[in-house]
Amino acid sequence: MSISTAAALLGVYPRVGPTFVAGDGCELLAEDGSRYLDLTAGIAVNALGFGHPAIRAAIEEALATGLIHLSNLFHSQPGERLAEELTARSFASAVFFCNSGAEANEGAFKFARRWTGKTDIVAFTGGFHGRLFASLAATDRPDFRRPFEPLLGGVHIVPLGDRATVERVVDRHRTAAVIIEPVQGEGGVRPVPADWLGFLRELCDDRGVALIFDEVQCGLGRTGTLFAYEQSGVVPDLVTLAKPLGAGLPMGAVLLSGDVTAAVEPGDHATTFGGGPFVAAVAHAAVRTIAEPAFLARVRTTGEWLGERLRLLAGTRSRVREVRGRGLMWGIELHEPATPFISAARERGVLVLSAGATVIRLVPPLIIATEQLERGVSVLEDVLA
Ligand SMILES: Cc1ncc(COP(=O)(O)O)c(C=O)c1O
């Protein structure tokens, strides 16, 4: 295994493996000509894989207008159309576009403060919301937080599943927002039970608190419905999106309920690049493709197949403690560190991720075929033997 950090790039990422030069569907081509099966999708970004025809067409069409960027001082159609599409398909009345998942969560915190007139934020153990000063404060990774403190104050991380503590910490007078991932990603791929989300909804209603669902990783088709919240029957006040939204271009979004929308004033928030015509046109093609009922149905059936297959694997490999997931987002929790097995899979041509120290995470492109998944799982089965 080669660990290299290109000298001129700030060394915050320990890059591993080969240099990739091209991608095609669910496969990556390395400089030396070898091919890899990609079960990482650029960390849950490339929902449509590499070179999807709908995305290529949207890029060509958007390029032909010459409007890569305009600024949010003027009207342009792509962002307005995309916002209409997202509101038509969700609970939201309005959408704010930005450039990343962390930025979407920072925006959601500001909108929640504006709506409630309160300050504090409650987040959960195992949660990951980004690396900026507020989103990092809400992220349950003390090792990421400690070197950069003080972060945003008034952020409380409480144990997921501990109702009594949550009832004590969510405060009628101070708490502006509760933020949760309906399926935790970085924290180890943990679907949060619907009754827990329902409990948070009731508590937030009772105490005048905004409920934010961070669907940056689990949203936009990943769990088999366009939004993960749809499967819980619980409707939040704000949803944050990013990863797959721009089909690989940097884009985030905050979806706001009618009540939250009504509280936000012109000038309350801004970002120069947010929802520019080029990224919005490409994102619109991605959302339209993913939202097709047949596309989502296929994610569900492929996901069920994968879940069954991973349970079979777990039954025969004693290193495996548990498999968890939903749709095409799965974690294989081991009794030991995951990294050596991830490296061994890569050496056998299969790319997978970690989620915390002991979980192997599979977030393949949503277009993946069961034959490709079978190839990936059998390599994992071998390396876990
Ligand atoms: C659930 C969740 N929220 C927020 C983020 C942060 O997104 P970004 O890296 O685009 O800032 C991530 C990134 O992994 C995430 O998984």
Side-chain angles (χ1 to χ4, degrees), residues 52-73:
H52 191 282
I55 299 305
R56 277 176 190 265
I59 288 173
E60 278 162 22
E61 205 179 302
L63 269 184
T65 68
L67 278 188
I68 304 291
H69 175 72
L70 179 68
S71 91
N72 288 310
L73 300 177

Side-chain angles (χ1 to χ4, degrees), residues 204-367:
C204 288
D205 285 342
D206 178 56
R207 302 194 182 169
V209 172
L211 181 60
I212 305 171
F213 282 179
D214 177 342
E215 298 208 11
V216 166
Q217 185 160 160
C218 64
L220 294 175
R222 175 61 56 193
T223 66
T225 46
L226 187 59
F227 301 102
Y229 77 80
E230 293 172 57
Q231 292 174 51
S232 67
V234 176
V235 179
D237 301 300
L238 297 124
V239 162
T240 54
L241 302 172
K243 289 180 178 286
L245 180 58
L249 298 177
M251 190 177 207
V254 187
L255 310 189
L256 299 82
S257 72
D259 289 346
V260 183
T261 302
V264 179
E265 304 276 344
D268 271 354
H269 198 42
T271 180
T272 299
F273 293 109
F278 183 75
V279 285
V282 176
H284 200 171
V287 170
R288 266 197 310 244
T289 305
I290 293 169
E292 278 294 321
F295 185 96
L296 291 168
R298 201 179 157 281
V299 174
R300 290 193 294 274
T301 44
T302 318
E304 276 158 27
W305 183 92
L306 179 58
E308 276 308 304
R309 183 67 183 82
L310 291 176
R311 279 183 209 106
L312 275 180
L313 173 150
T316 61
R317 295 292 178 268
S318 58
R319 293 178 202 279
V320 177
R321 191 170 163 184
E322 193 185 19
V323 297
R324 300 182 290 265
R326 192 176 290 163
L328 283 171
M329 179 171 182
W330 284 85
I332 307 168
E333 178 159 13
L334 308 181
H335 292 287
E336 60 195 293
T339 309
F341 303 102
I342 292 171
S343 305
R346 186 173 59 248
E347 275 153 26
R348 308 256 324 248
V350 174
L351 303 177
V352 293
L353 295 165
S354 63
T358 57
V359 177
I360 299 175
R361 175 173 34 154
L362 311 183
V363 280
L366 303 182
I367 56 164

Side-chain angles (χ1 to χ4, degrees), residues 43 99-103 105 128-132 181 183 185-186 214-218 240 242-243 361:
I43 322 184
N99 311 286
S100 70
E103 213 194 317
N105 287 328
F128 185 95
H129 303 292
R131 303 285 207 117
L132 304 181
E181 297 159 81
V183 181
E186 303 299 311
D214 177 342
E215 298 208 11
V216 166
Q217 185 160 160
C218 64
T240 54
K243 289 180 178 286
R361 175 173 34 154

